[in-house]
Amino acid sequence: LEMHYQPKLNLQTQRIVGVEALMRWHHPALGMIPPVQFIPIAEELGLILSMGKWALEQACADALAWQKFGLPEVVTSVNLSPRQFESRTLIADIKAVLESSGLEPSLLELEITEGAVMANPEHAAELLRTIRDMGVGLAIDDFGTGYSSLSYLKHFPLSTVKIDRSFINDLSQDADARALIDGIITLSHGLRMKVVAEGIETVAQLEYLRSHGCDEAQGYWLCKPVPADEARDFMARHLRNQFAPSVLA
Ligand code: C2E
Ligand code: MG
Ligand code: MG
């Protein structure tokens, strides 16, 4: 297994403010296998618990290595599967990885899906509060594709809403998708949550989201998910370009 990282851009400051950690399976014969193919199986076999713990450890270790390299701090987001969310050892695992890595809890964010929290909303609310009290951020992933129950946004201590890629994809030719995006941004900001758009592939999508108040964006337009050393180099290059005097100035 390997962790890859996809940078996130703050749409106001143009800085890289975070990365999403994404798991890859490097198969000796079949090559790189995408997570949509192996995570459901790992979930079914119960293997996701140890794989998810490893992902958390690896992501925290890489985040710390980038800091030691001299890069500005970024928030690292790690995906949690529904099965991990039900695990009794989740809180202890998060605590242990923060302690052993030494990563500041505020620099870690966990991404969960609507399905994981809605399976048992009361248990979820308690778990999420415990995680929030540890100082770790919480994002709701693929927002708009699952239950999209608006009341849970109010009851769960979430810090971030991630607009699903399908809305971004439809943005240019579908007024309804734009209406939903605008609604999600307004709603999330009203509830004091940050909004991240995923799957940005064109500058037109980026500009739409920026002008409509979306906070952060990730997608192939900025950078595909890449191995840790490439993510580090990308962040260093982005930082240099940001401070380099413009040729036209
Ligand atoms: P996700 O958390 O919603 O991750 C975003 C997915 O969108 C990633 O797919 C990413 O590569 C892809 N993506 C990003 N930008 C673009 C873009 O501009 N265009 C397109 N077409 N795609 C883009 P990936 O890496 O294949 O991961 C798929 C899903 O697998 C993730 O969706 C997440 O639910 C799951 N996953 C990945 N890594 C982990 C992990 O470590 N643990 C768990 N439990 N699930 C994981
Ligand atoms: Mg995610
Ligand atoms: Mg997503």
Side-chain angles (χ1 to χ4, degrees):
L1 293 175
E2 227 176 77
M3 292 311 284
H4 283 200
Y5 299 90
Q6 185 176 40
K8 293 183 199 171
L9 184 75
N10 178 304
L11 291 174
Q12 304 310 316
T13 65
Q14 313 270 34
R15 286 170 190 262
I16 303 295
V17 289
V19 294
E20 177 171 9
L22 294 156
M23 201 185 279
R24 301 287 180 260
W25 180 14
H26 212 155
H27 191 281
L30 301 173
M32 206 62 97
I33 301 180
V36 283
Q37 283 179 22
F38 67 84
I39 287 191
I41 303 170
E43 177 104 357
E44 212 171 295
L45 297 174
L47 279 173
I48 194 70
L49 295 181
S50 51
M51 286 162 69
K53 193 164 171 237
W54 173 82
L56 205 53
E57 285 164 1
Q58 193 59 48
C60 290
D62 286 331
L64 226 73
W66 297 330
Q67 276 182 31
K68 290 207 176 109
F69 183 76
L71 287 174
E73 291 174 344
V74 294
V75 174
T76 295
S77 304
V78 181
N79 293 284
L80 278 194
S81 85
R83 186 92 175 244
Q84 270 177 290
F85 201 66
E86 284 163 13
S87 145
R88 281 164 209 254
T89 63
L90 179 66
I91 299 296
D93 289 348
I94 300 169
K95 274 194 185 136
V97 77
L98 285 172
E99 264 174 39
S100 65
S101 68
L103 187 72
E104 188 68 40
S106 63
L107 296 180
L108 177 66
E109 178 176 72
L110 301 173
E111 295 192 3
I112 49 172
T113 54
E114 297 170 66
V117 289
M118 293 310 282
N120 186 347
E122 262 146 53
H123 169 70
E126 204 183 305
L127 252 183
L128 294 178
R129 271 195 295 274
T130 310
I131 297 173
R132 192 260 327 260
D133 291 347
M134 288 161 70
V136 172
L138 286 162
I140 195 89
D141 207 352
D142 306 336
F143 186 74
T145 59
Y147 296 78
S148 303
S149 157
L150 298 181
S151 68
Y152 81 69
L153 287 181
K154 179 167 166 286
H155 290 300
F156 295 162
L158 301 163
S159 37
T160 306
V161 168
K162 295 191 78 177
I163 306 178
D164 189 65
R165 206 169 72 212
S166 56
F167 298 114
I168 310 301
N169 203 27
D170 297 344
L171 190 160
S172 63
Q173 68 279 17
D174 185 351
D176 293 352
R178 290 195 292 276
L180 285 166
I181 292 172
D182 297 352
I184 295 172
I185 294 173
T186 306
L187 176 73
S188 308
H189 283 166
L191 294 169
R192 297 164 300 281
M193 290 183 286
K194 186 174 78 180
V195 187
V196 178
E198 52 183 16
I200 305 287
E201 293 185 358
T202 68
V203 71
Q205 291 167 344
L206 187 86
E207 287 313 330
Y208 182 89
L209 288 152
R210 191 202 308 277
S211 61
H212 285 76
C214 182
D215 303 290
E216 295 174 18
Q218 71 182 95
Y220 294 172
W221 181 81
L222 179 68
C223 185
K224 286 196 168 183
V226 290
D229 52 345
E230 282 180 45
R232 179 200 63 201
D233 294 347
F234 178 88
M235 290 190 275
R237 214 167 40 242
H238 186 88
L239 198 68
R240 271 202 305 277
N241 290 343
Q242 211 177 15
F243 289 111
S246 162
V247 179
L248 296 173

